[in-house]
Amino acid sequence: MAIEQTLSIIKPNVVAKNIIGKIFNRFEKKGFKIISIKMLKLSHQQAECFYKQHISKPFFKDLINFMISGPIIISVLERENAVNFHRTLIGDTNPMKALKGTLRADYADNYTENGFHGSDSIESALFEINYFFKNNEIYSNKS
Ligand code: CMP
């Protein structure tokens, strides 16, 4: 299977729980290489543009207000099949449906404050990684 990169976000509610180290430990135990990381507090405009495909959804305003409510941790993760593997590891977007042992089952608070974001396709991973990182900030293990 191909080596891929995906964008992972630890959202404000999980950053506030002071468990960033535990989360990265879980990524590493599952074979991900963390090839870039940053912590930042999104502006309203940054959050709206990142989630622009949801602009017409009823939850959009709550989502944006939540995403700008505190710092987030953004990372680029690399391994075989990274996009789907990461989404499986974080669990269903709706935490009520997230399987036992997934990150959202363990740490999400509700649908909006679901703790984590992961790219949902290779195309969106490319857009999302480029949204937050310059090429020279990413330390790929790919040859
Ligand atoms: P995320 O993976 O970051 O992608 C879009 C986000 O919108 C999602 O996680 C949730 O935080 C939020 N979201 C999606 N669907 C709903 C919904 N039905 N109700 C509330 N929030 C939602």
Side-chain angles (χ1 to χ4, degrees), residues 36-50:
S36 205
I37 305 182
K38 55 179 75 163
M39 181 179 227
L40 54 89
K41 197 160 181 282
L42 294 177
S43 68
H44 200 272
Q45 194 195 4
Q46 270 177 316
E48 280 199 338
C49 189
F50 182 75

Side-chain angles (χ1 to χ4, degrees), residues 11 51 54 59 63 93 104 111-114 116-118:
K11 296 187 180 184
Y51 279 120
H54 297 301
F59 57 81
L63 174 64
T93 310
R104 282 177 172 144
Y111 212 149
T112 300
E113 301 185 22
N114 64 355
F116 303 90
H117 169 83

Side-chain angles (χ1 to χ4, degrees), residues 17-81:
K17 295 180 204 277
N18 206 25
I19 50 166
I20 294 164
K22 266 190 190 172
I23 305 301
F24 280 120
N25 187 245
R26 283 175 67 165
F27 290 152
E28 289 183 334
K29 278 200 300 197
K30 292 289 182 185
F32 284 103
K33 295 268 188 264
I34 298 157
I35 60 171
S36 205
I37 305 182
K38 55 179 75 163
M39 181 179 227
L40 54 89
K41 197 160 181 282
L42 294 177
S43 68
H44 200 272
Q45 194 195 4
Q46 270 177 316
E48 280 199 338
C49 189
F50 182 75
Y51 279 120
K52 61 181 184 233
Q53 79 270 30
H54 297 301
I55 200 154
S56 60
K57 309 271 175 62
F59 57 81
F60 186 70
K61 200 161 171 258
D62 286 346
L63 174 64
I64 298 308
N65 286 334
F66 164 60
M67 288 302 291
I68 66 173
S69 67
I72 60 174
I73 301 283
I74 308 170
S75 58
V76 183
L77 305 181
E78 185 173 84
R79 58 156 282 152
E80 279 186 355
N81 194 27

Side-chain angles (χ1 to χ4, degrees), residues 76-134:
V76 183
L77 305 181
E78 185 173 84
R79 58 156 282 152
E80 279 186 355
N81 194 27
V83 170
N84 286 329
F85 202 95
H86 176 254
R87 282 178 72 80
T88 303
L89 185 59
I90 65 179
D92 198 284
T93 310
N94 178 354
M96 299 294 285
K97 293 187 186 163
L99 298 178
K100 196 166 176 284
T102 62
L103 290 169
R104 282 177 172 144
D106 289 345
Y107 301 118
D109 292 303
N110 54 56
Y111 212 149
T112 300
E113 301 185 22
N114 64 355
F116 303 90
H117 169 83
S119 309
D120 64 4
S121 66
I122 296 200
E123 295 69 37
S124 52
L126 202 61
F127 166 80
E128 292 180 355
I129 291 168
N130 287 329
Y131 192 78
F132 289 116
F133 295 90
K134 299 190 182 88

